[in-house]
Amino acid sequence: NKTGYITSMDVDMFDLGSEFQPYDIAMPVNVQHSLGKIYDAIPDAHPGSASKDWLASVKLGTNYVSKHIYGVWHCTASKEWIDGEYRKLWFFP
């Protein structure tokens, strides 16, 4: 939500109260490049749209404990539960 592919975490999700300090999380360069290459590889799917604009608005998983944005979440187990259970995991959204 900031320029330069940076988001500001301003939600006190751990109920720290006055101890909470908002912080920024930058999208890793490798995630920017990888997702940009994928987006640019299919121009017919989004005519007239640039990957830089899409990257500024895309919603990615963020680990608020480690303060990292990741491009892929991999699950090696059965996939039937992902849609319902993923939103309950500690690192969502």
Side-chain angles (χ1 to χ4, degrees):
N1 58 4
K2 298 171 87 174
T3 59
Y5 306 119
I6 296 172
T7 190
S8 179
M9 179 55 176
D10 57 5
V11 177
D12 181 8
M13 62 187 291
F14 298 114
D15 296 320
L16 298 176
S18 62
E19 293 180 32
F20 175 72
Q21 297 288 326
Y23 55 89
D24 291 343
I25 302 174
M27 183 186 300
V29 173
N30 64 337
V31 173
Q32 294 174 34
H33 289 282
S34 298
L35 293 179
K37 286 171 80 172
I38 292 169
Y39 191 87
D40 291 337
I42 51 171
D44 293 342
H46 47 78
S49 177
S51 60
K52 65 181 180 77
D53 298 326
W54 174 71
L55 281 170
S57 66
V58 70
K59 295 179 187 277
L60 297 173
T62 304
N63 182 320
Y64 293 115
V65 174
S66 67
K67 301 178 183 170
H68 285 90
I69 295 171
Y70 50 92
V72 176
W73 177 66
H74 178 70
C75 177
T76 58
S78 173
K79 309 297 186 260
E80 289 93 33
W81 65 275
I82 291 176
D83 286 338
E85 296 296 314
Y86 182 76
R87 296 175 185 274
K88 297 177 186 175
L89 298 175
W90 67 272
F91 52 80
F92 181 83

